[in-house]
């Protein structure tokens, strides 16, 4: 077992075999979704989260190994690398401890201590530290040369500077102060008086005079304060009781009561205040930021996953409406495959139109294209437009009257998509308003296929997403998108290039090649045909094949999650039951006869066989459920209509660590604080609600001045 495996096993509490095999699969280029779905025997059934943690730790340890190489080289070039120091560095796998070991050797700018060393005062500092000299003033005369060191005072001050730096770079001292910060640090924020009344300051008013223990400071509060600081409205500090910390350091460094001890005590205090405390305070601030980032990114990724896995309406004829007042409602009609058939603008509101004329026009468009559903964006005038659209009646070819179902669709990110390169390539001849309305319509049909075209940061389901580590955020969100796409599966004959990019083992180049091959040769008729796509070799085929679907293929397994490497197992099952694969997939009685133990081998165990049986029962099943319609309460249309005590239907629009935001139809989302989520303690709001969930919420407070609404989900 290599060193990385040992550390990961200890950190994640997983088995040695699972970690070792997972690392091997990752090194071979296997993706996380592929490993989780098709290599359960080798990993012991690890899920995507556990595999991602192994991958993350592996990358972290690789970076640490590179850092150790740099440190060893730097110290070696200084001629200070002893055998013991090398052993310590090689054995260290804690980033903080490693930097503490390296600190005394780290090249730095010309410090006061460095200047004192250049004057030859290091021996005096060592003599001072021994604290045995009865007359240190007299002893210091030896270093006064009248040229570089002109007085005893200069000599002693230089020696104290050296001791102060030694204190600040000492591992034990740093750990002592670090532990004090971890236990006792208080984070405080104060308003910048000159900016208190400026525009934008009010949103940080909760932090104008705020303090709490750092270890209890929630990530959202820390990020809010940091944003206030970056915008110039707040000043932040992280502090401990300096006197207590200095006393603890003195117990480590001061060992007597003579003049030497007094000078060492002064050096300790100086080293703490000037060097050590600011260094550890910065370290704690950075650590708190990392933890807040991880929390915020986790919330964002969880919300994004729920959004991407929202229930699709499926292949229906849809009328998409992007509501507006002054500029009118942009209307598009899409066929069941999401192709644009028609677009227009309808003006339901003054000064350019009226509701009666708008209803007539909406009805005419819906009737002409036999719309089966209406997707309405949730932006400005959504409520008012919905009231009109709900009264549409169309007549089908058989003469039957019906009202298309109305669905409210989130517009977040639609404007970003409409101006993107992807949208320009899809609709080069249409303007941004048409593209935005098309996006709204397609989001209803298949949220996943449409939302993958938008930068996840623009979808609006996170907290402080622009304040967190952007590289880490991108990694997490890309991983989430990849996970969702592969969980659902992709129709290789209808998927956009953008959607195919996220399929396990593909990426932009192969996705482009698949679309080009499809355009030149027509629809794929089998998974095996994928091998003819340029540059899609055996490794890529192994990774992607199980996640690509081909409806109507000659082999029904090509439209399932059964991997081609396991087709022979299903064929043997069918043969043993004297039926075809297609018959086996349709007949539950035939499936019930199968004894999985007969088909288990060293390579294919019961986990894979159980997955195969689930797929035979419900081939190409969609895990996302069905889309639901929704209607707001007609009593309320603006925040002024709200009264405390009202119980109103709402849609969950965003989830954070401190609560959830709910749209109740008054153009201002209300907040359900985590304390109001349920009649029990709730640690994480995501335990109680999910994005786009339809809920009943009670109004408990309305602040008209700050346009804030407080809601409760407690019974």
């Amino acid at each position: 077992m290599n060193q990385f495996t040992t550390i990961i096993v200890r950190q994640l509490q997983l088995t040695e075999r699972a970690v070792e095999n997972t690392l091997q699969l990752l090194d071979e280029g296997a993706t996380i979704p592929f490993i989780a779905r098709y290599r359960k025997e080798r990993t012991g059934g690890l899920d995507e989260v556990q595999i991602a943690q192994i991958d993350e730790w592996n990358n972290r340890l690789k970076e640490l190994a590179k850092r150790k190489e740099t440190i060893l080289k730097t110290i070696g070039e200084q001629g200070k690398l002893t055998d013991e120091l090398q052993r310590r560095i090689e054995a260290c796998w804690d980033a903080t401890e490693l930097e503490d070991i390296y600190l005394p050797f780290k090249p730095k700018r010309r410090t006061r201590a460095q200047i004192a060393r250049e004057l030859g005062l290091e021996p005096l500092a060592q003599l001072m530290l021994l604290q045995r000299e009865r007359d240190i003033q007299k002893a210091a005369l030896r270093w006064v040369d009248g040229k570089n060191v002109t007085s005893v005072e200069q000599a002693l001050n230089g020696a104290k500077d050296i001791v102060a730096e030694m204190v600040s770079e000492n591992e034990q001292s740093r750990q002592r102060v670090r532990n004090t910060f971890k236990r006792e640090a208080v984070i405080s924020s104060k308003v910048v008086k000159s900016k208190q009344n400026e525009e934008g300051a009010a949103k940080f008013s909760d932090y104008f005079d705020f303090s709490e223990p750092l270890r209890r400071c929630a990530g959202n509060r820390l990020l809010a304060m940091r944003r206030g600081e970056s915008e110039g409205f707040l000043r932040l500090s992280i502090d401990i009781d300096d006197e207590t910390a200095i006393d603890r350091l003195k117990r480590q460094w001061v060992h007597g009561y003579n003049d030497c001890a007094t000078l060492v005590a002064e050096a300790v205090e100086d080293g703490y205040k000037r060097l050590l405390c600011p260094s550890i305070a910065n370290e704690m601030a950075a650590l708190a930021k990392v933890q807040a980032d991880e929390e915020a990114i986790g919330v964002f990724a969880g919300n994004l996953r729920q959004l991407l896995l929202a229930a699709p309406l499926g292949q229906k004829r849809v009328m998409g409406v992007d509501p507006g007042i002054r500029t009118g409602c942009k209307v598009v009609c899409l066929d069941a495959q999401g192709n644009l058939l028609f677009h227009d603008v309808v003006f339901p509101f003054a000064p350019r139109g009226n509701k009666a004329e708008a209803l007539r026009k909406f009805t005419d468009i819906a009737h002409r294209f036999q719309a089966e559903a209406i997707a309405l964006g949730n932006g400005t005038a959504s409520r008012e437009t919905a009231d009109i659209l709900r009264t549409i009646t169309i007549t089908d070819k058989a003469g039957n009257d019906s009202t298309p179902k109305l669905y409210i669709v989130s517009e977040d990110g639609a404007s970003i998509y409409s101006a993107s390169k992807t949208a320009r390539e899809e609709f080069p001849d249409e303007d941004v308003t048409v593209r935005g309305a098309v996006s709204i319509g397609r989001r209803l049909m298949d949220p996943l296929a449409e939302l993958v075209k938008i930068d996840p940061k623009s979808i609006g389901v996170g907290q402080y997403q622009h304040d967190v580590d952007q590289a880490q955020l991108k990694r997490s969100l890309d991983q989430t998108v990849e996970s969702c796409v592969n969980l659902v599966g992709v129709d290789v004959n209808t998927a956009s290039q953008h959607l195919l990019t996220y399929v396990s083992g593909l990426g932009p180049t192969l996705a482009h090649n698949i679309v080009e091959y499809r355009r030149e040769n027509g629809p794929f008729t089998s998974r095996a045909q994928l091998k003819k796509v340029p540059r899609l070799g055996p490794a890529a085929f192994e990774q992607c094949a199980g996640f690509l679907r081909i409806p109507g293929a000659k082999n029904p397994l090509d439209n399932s999650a059964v991997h081609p490497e396991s087709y022979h197992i299903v064929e043997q099952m069918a043969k043993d039951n004297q039926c075809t694969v297609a018959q086996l997939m349709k007949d539950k009685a035939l499936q019930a006869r199968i004894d999985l133990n007969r088909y288990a081998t060293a390579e294919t165990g019961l986990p894979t066989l159980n997955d195969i049986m689930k797929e035979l029962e419900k081939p190409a099943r969609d895990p996302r459920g069905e889309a639901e319609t929704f209607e707001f309460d007609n009593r309320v249309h603006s925040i002024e209509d709200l009264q405390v005590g009202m119980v109103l239907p709402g849609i969950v629009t965003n989830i954070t660590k401190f609560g959830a935001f709910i749209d109740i139809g008054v153009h201002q989302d209300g907040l359900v604080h985590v304390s109001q989520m349920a009649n029990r303690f709730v640690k994480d709001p995501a335990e109680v609600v999910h994005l786009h969930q339809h809920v009943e919420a009670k109004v408990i407070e309305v602040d008209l001045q700050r346009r804030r609404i407080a809601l409760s989900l407690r019974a």
Side-chain angles (χ1 to χ4, degrees), residues 432-687:
V432 291
T433 60
V434 174
R435 297 171 191 160
V438 170
S439 182
I440 289 169
R442 287 179 171 177
R443 285 185 193 197
L444 174 61
M445 299 169 75
D446 190 341
L448 179 60
E450 193 61 22
L451 289 171
V452 294
K453 300 173 186 176
I454 304 168
D455 181 350
K457 284 191 296 183
S458 303
I459 296 176
V461 291
Q463 59 180 37
Y464 301 102
Q465 59 262 40
H466 301 292
D467 300 292
V468 302
D469 183 306
Q470 295 301 293
Q472 188 182 344
L473 177 65
K474 186 178 188 308
R475 275 196 306 275
S476 176
L477 298 187
D478 283 349
Q479 202 172 79
T480 301
V481 176
E482 182 184 34
S483 170
C484 292
V485 168
N486 291 289
L487 174 68
V488 173
V490 171
D491 182 340
V492 72
N493 286 323
T494 61
S496 67
Q497 180 178 324
H498 213 88
L499 184 60
L500 287 167
T501 298
Y502 288 100
V503 172
S504 168
L506 293 185
T509 302
L510 289 178
H512 171 77
N513 291 353
I514 287 172
V515 171
E516 285 300 301
Y517 183 91
R518 192 172 71 193
R519 186 176 59 78
E520 293 171 8
N521 300 280
F524 288 88
T525 56
S526 72
R527 277 175 171 164
Q529 196 180 349
L530 287 162
K531 295 176 182 178
K532 297 180 181 179
V533 173
R535 299 181 66 179
L536 202 157
F541 178 80
E542 179 186 62
Q543 293 296 310
C544 75
F547 302 106
L548 295 173
R549 310 278 188 268
I550 304 178
K554 183 177 178 182
N555 186 340
L557 293 175
D558 282 349
N559 191 35
S560 75
V562 177
H563 197 282
E565 67 188 10
S566 298
Y567 281 9
H568 69 281
I569 298 171
V570 182
E571 288 161 0
Q572 187 62 49
M573 289 175 175
K575 185 179 178 182
D576 292 345
N577 279 278
Q578 300 178 332
C579 65
T580 65
V581 169
Q583 288 169 334
L584 182 62
M585 292 174 75
K586 290 176 183 173
D587 194 331
K588 285 187 168 42
L590 289 172
Q591 294 167 17
R593 287 191 217 159
I594 294 171
D595 177 7
L596 293 183
N597 292 308
R598 288 182 56 190
Y599 304 96
T601 64
E603 294 77 28
T604 308
L606 288 176
T608 294
L609 292 170
N610 281 320
D611 282 348
I612 289 172
M613 290 309 298
K614 285 176 190 171
E615 198 59 29
L616 295 181
E617 289 168 20
K618 293 181 181 178
R621 66 194 182 283
D622 194 317
R624 295 176 289 176
E626 296 180 5
E628 297 176 347
T629 59
F630 178 83
E631 194 169 340
F632 291 113
D633 193 311
N634 278 326
R635 293 177 295 165
V636 297
H637 289 80
S638 70
I639 192 171
E640 286 78 13
D641 296 331
L642 296 177
Q643 293 177 15
V644 172
M646 279 183 164
V647 177
L648 304 168
I651 300 174
V652 178
T653 59
N654 200 1
I655 302 171
T656 68
K657 276 292 181 185
F658 56 85
F661 289 92
I662 296 180
D663 182 1
I664 53 174
V666 296
H667 308 297
Q668 176 64 54
D669 288 358
L671 171 65
V672 181
H673 189 265
V674 66
S675 62
Q676 293 292 330
M677 299 298 299
N679 288 327
R680 58 180 175 82
F681 173 74
V682 175
K683 184 178 180 183
D684 184 351
E687 299 170 9

Side-chain angles (χ1 to χ4, degrees), residues 290-362:
V290 167
Q291 291 169 344
D293 282 2
E294 287 175 355
E295 183 181 290
I297 290 169
V299 169
F300 200 145
N303 286 351
L304 178 64
R305 184 176 186 83
Q306 291 179 24
L307 196 63
L308 294 174
L309 295 180
L313 182 66
Q315 294 190 333
K316 306 279 186 184
R317 295 182 300 277
V318 169
M319 183 166 84
V321 182
D322 184 358
I325 298 176
R326 185 179 56 81
T327 56
C329 296
K330 277 62 72 179
V331 184
V332 298
C333 286
L334 309 174
D335 67 15
Q337 284 70 47
N339 298 309
L340 177 63
L341 304 175
F342 169 86
H343 65 84
D344 201 352
V345 181
V346 177
F347 293 91
F349 312 108
R352 295 188 61 178
N354 62 72
K355 293 182 181 180
E357 177 60 24
L359 174 60
R360 187 196 63 73
K361 198 165 182 181
F362 278 136

Side-chain angles (χ1 to χ4, degrees), residues 202-241:
K203 63 185 175 185
F204 301 110
S205 59
D206 291 345
Y207 304 106
F208 280 1
D209 187 12
F210 176 87
S211 68
E212 73 173 328
L214 180 62
R215 59 193 167 85
R216 290 190 196 151
C217 184
N220 59 284
R221 290 200 292 277
L222 181 78
L223 292 173
M225 285 186 278
R226 285 180 65 98
R227 182 183 289 180
E229 184 180 45
S230 68
E231 293 183 16
F233 297 112
L234 301 176
R235 283 201 185 93
L236 298 193
S237 63
I238 296 175
D239 305 294
I240 57 174
D241 183 339

